Amino acid sequence: MERTSVKIVVAGGFGTGKTTLVGSVSEIPPLTTEEVLTEASVGVDDTTGVEGKTHTTVALDFGRITISPDVVLYLFGTPGQDRFWFIWDELAQGAVGAIVLVDTRRLESSFPAVDYFERRGVPFVAAVNRFFGECAYTEDEIRSALELTPEVPLVWCDARDRGSSKLALIALVRHALGRLSPARA
Amino acid sequence: MAFDAWDGEDESAAGRFVPLYVLVNGRTSPRDSRLDLATQVVALPVDTRLLDPEYLRIVDRCGNWISVAEIGAYLQLPLTIAKVMVDVLVEQGYLGVGSPAQRKIVDRHLLDSVLAGLERL
Ligand SMILES: Nc1nc2c(ncn2[C@@H]2O[C@H](COP(=O)(O)OP(=O)(O)OP(=O)(O)O)[C@@H](O)[C@H]2O)c(=O)[nH]1
Ligand SMILES: [Mg+2]
């Protein structure tokens, strides 16, 4: 049946503006869905017996953008805590790529996301969220702190602004296109 | 019908969070289902009178194409459960399924149309 879904992941450290970005470009107010996870505590605490497992609910925010009558783009914000790798795997699989939001007051908080997408070969752009207008770092300083390879685009954005968030998405799709093997004429 | 959720046999590493294994209609979570949380489904024109209310609720939401994640959000179902229930409905012919977002290589043509769509926003 002709109805195609496309995914983009919005990642980054705790409080970097992921939900804000999803909300600013989505055509519907961002939705939240939950995944119930169980912590496998094998070998961690043998003495507590059968009840040694913890259930945790992880919330995922997402929004949608209708691209054409048969293509819908879904934007998924990752959970703030980066220990829920299972969710990241599900979000990243088959995705066009990711936007990694960066808060310059806590550059290092976005490093796990950079590292995750780098290792899995998922195309991503770093989007520096300007919380207070001026940024104390140069692009080179941010690149080296996050260990960005030269081909990873770095864009400046204000996640609250629809136009700005849209430009970050466009930068990502262009980057993903650039990584495909050259088109045959 | 009622569905149970339980902790299945673990293949997982210690300390790692994994989804609850769920049982719906006597089956466990379909790990290799082609359903992704972004995959969209739509109600097919079939008789739904025999459906249990929990399933009917889902089909009733699918008058227009809707993703598994949206179904989970609107009906307040945990994603894993939404996915398994949608999978059951697809298998039983109540729902039609669109192209999954899961594809190894996103094709150039699709990316070009996404880019054009974003530029029009
Ligand atoms: N000044 C300014 N504030 C922002 C910007 N983006 C987000 N904020 C604010 O920063 C706070 C955190 O933003 P969220 O979008 O909730 O961040 P998040 O990454 O989803 O946070 P978690 O899901 O908790 O990790 C909110 O109060 C936002 O209003 C920005 O570009 N500029
Ligand atoms: Mg958030």
Side-chain angles (χ1 to χ4, degrees), chain A residues 10-16 18 37 58-60 77-89 91 100-101 106-117 120, chain B residues 15-17:
Chain A
V10 181
F14 195 71
T16 46
K18 301 178 292 290
L37 302 176
V58 183
L60 281 182
T78 57
Q81 311 95 312
D82 48 34
R83 62 196 169 126
F84 299 118
W85 295 117
F86 169 84
I87 301 271
W88 287 59
D89 291 346
L91 294 177
V100 176
L101 280 164
R106 288 166 294 136
L107 282 179
E108 70 295 339
S109 77
S110 292
F111 183 73
V114 167
D115 190 48
Y116 178 91
F117 296 115
R120 281 166 183 75
Chain B
R16 201 178 144 92
F17 282 91

Side-chain angles (χ1 to χ4, degrees), chain B residues 32-52:
Chain B
D32 6 292
S33 156
R34 49 206 177 114
L35 289 178
D36 177 78
L37 74 188
T39 304
Q40 296 168 79
V41 292
V42 70
L44 296 175
V46 294
D47 187 350
T48 52
R49 275 175 299 177
L50 293 177
L51 268 182
D52 292 327

Side-chain angles (χ1 to χ4, degrees), chain A residues 67-134:
Chain A
I67 295 293
S68 69
D70 54 2
V71 179
V72 178
L73 169 62
Y74 287 93
L75 301 171
F76 286 95
T78 57
Q81 311 95 312
D82 48 34
R83 62 196 169 126
F84 299 118
W85 295 117
F86 169 84
I87 301 271
W88 287 59
D89 291 346
E90 168 144 29
L91 294 177
Q93 189 170 16
V96 168
I99 291 178
V100 176
L101 280 164
V102 177
D103 177 346
T104 53
R105 294 165 299 178
R106 288 166 294 136
L107 282 179
E108 70 295 339
S109 77
S110 292
F111 183 73
V114 167
D115 190 48
Y116 178 91
F117 296 115
E118 193 67 69
R119 279 172 199 274
R120 281 166 183 75
V122 175
F124 68 97
V125 299
V128 182
N129 203 2
R130 293 193 194 206
F131 278 87
F132 299 107
E134 286 310 302

